Structures are given as C-alpha cells and as structure tokens.
Amino acid sequence: MSETSYTQFEQVLHYFRQMDLVLLDLILDEHRTYQSMHRKKFLSMLGTVFQIFKKKGNTQLLVYPGTCANDTCSGCLPDMIGYCFIGESTPHYLAMIFEVKDGRVLDMFECTDMQHEQAVPGKQYRIRIDPMIFNQDESED
C-alpha cells in the first residue's frame, strides 16, 4: 500500500471543512499574514466564525468552488482559488479565496462577491471574518 501525500492546501481545505482550528494552526505558516492579519489574529477570528457555525448546529462545512465576481479584486488572479463553505445543517456560509502556489497556501481572505457555475444549495446567510464587522452574521435566527 502506498502512502498518499497531501499538499498543504489540500490539508487546509480538509481542516476548514472539519472546522479544526488546532490543526490549521499547526500547518499554516507562522511568518505569513492571512487577510492582512498576523496568523494568530486571523486564526482567533476564524475560530469565532467556526464557533458561530457550531452554535447554529453545524458539525462540518460543505465545500463549493467559486470565483470572485468583482473584476477589480485581486481574488481574480491565476493563483487564486475560491471556495464557499456552507454549514451542513444551516444556510450559513463563509466565502474564501486562497492564494496557492505549488500546493502551499500563501494567503487566504474572504470574498465578498463570490459566484458559482451552479446553484449552491443553502447559501443564504454570510458569516464574516472581517475585523470591521467581527463576530456578526446576517441571520435573523
């Protein structure tokens, strides 16, 4: 049996789906910034996002590919890969763009205008990481 090797990016996607902040902390480069924040601050805020998903009854996130629909955004560059993470039990979502090169995550940040080739079931209420609106989602509960 051969051992399967996963890229850092594949691992990041997996741990995002599982909302596993501990393992994301272990594999993300401590010398990089994410969404223009130091890694620790970004992970702290992402942890709050994961707690919101969990509080609403989600145990994992479903993943749907997407692209940034804003033509003035840097999320449209060739090394950028977009995904929408949606709660498996609720219509809450987080849209993210990943800058990836040679399987490594160089940056990640929220996308405010993600589009998808096919309809994404359950995509209704955005949960945000953005520090200006930290810890707020758009649901009415």
Side-chain angles (χ1 to χ4, degrees):
M1 184 184 317
S2 67
E3 185 176 313
T4 304
S5 178
Y6 294 100
T7 66
Q8 182 206 33
F9 175 58
E10 291 168 330
Q11 292 174 22
V12 166
L13 285 181
H14 175 76
Y15 298 137
F16 247 87
R17 288 189 64 191
Q18 301 304 312
M19 296 184 282
D20 191 330
L21 199 62
V22 171
L23 290 175
L24 282 170
D25 186 27
L26 289 174
I27 66 169
L28 289 175
D29 186 338
E30 67 181 285
H31 302 291
R32 293 205 172 276
T33 60
Y34 302 96
Q35 193 162 310
S36 300
M37 291 179 253
H38 186 272
R39 180 184 63 108
K40 286 289 186 192
K41 181 174 182 175
F42 175 81
L43 287 172
S44 174
M45 296 177 83
L46 182 61
T48 300
V49 168
F50 288 166
Q51 288 304 317
I52 292 169
F53 274 113
K54 290 174 182 177
K55 181 182 110 189
K56 293 182 180 300
N58 298 288
T59 59
Q60 68 177 342
L61 303 176
L62 306 176
V63 182
Y64 296 90
T67 56
C68 182
N70 184 336
D71 58 2
T72 63
C73 178
S74 63
C76 303
L77 299 174
D79 290 336
M80 304 294 187
I81 302 170
Y83 286 100
C84 188
F85 297 88
I86 299 178
E88 98 282 7
S89 297
T90 67
H92 298 85
Y93 72 95
L94 172 66
M96 295 292 294
I97 299 289
F98 297 86
E99 181 180 2
V100 180
K101 186 164 185 161
D102 299 326
R104 303 281 308 164
V105 176
L106 304 180
D107 197 0
M108 65 179 100
F109 49 89
E110 287 181 272
C111 179
T112 59
D113 193 13
M114 185 168 282
Q115 67 181 10
H116 307 277
E117 287 186 21
Q118 299 176 341
V120 176
K123 181 181 174 182
Q124 190 171 358
Y125 301 115
R126 179 193 314 263
I127 298 177
R128 300 177 186 265
I129 296 174
D130 189 314
M132 299 306 291
I133 48 178
F134 177 58
N135 202 18
Q136 296 180 8
D137 66 50
E138 297 173 355
S139 73
E140 296 296 321
D141 275 319

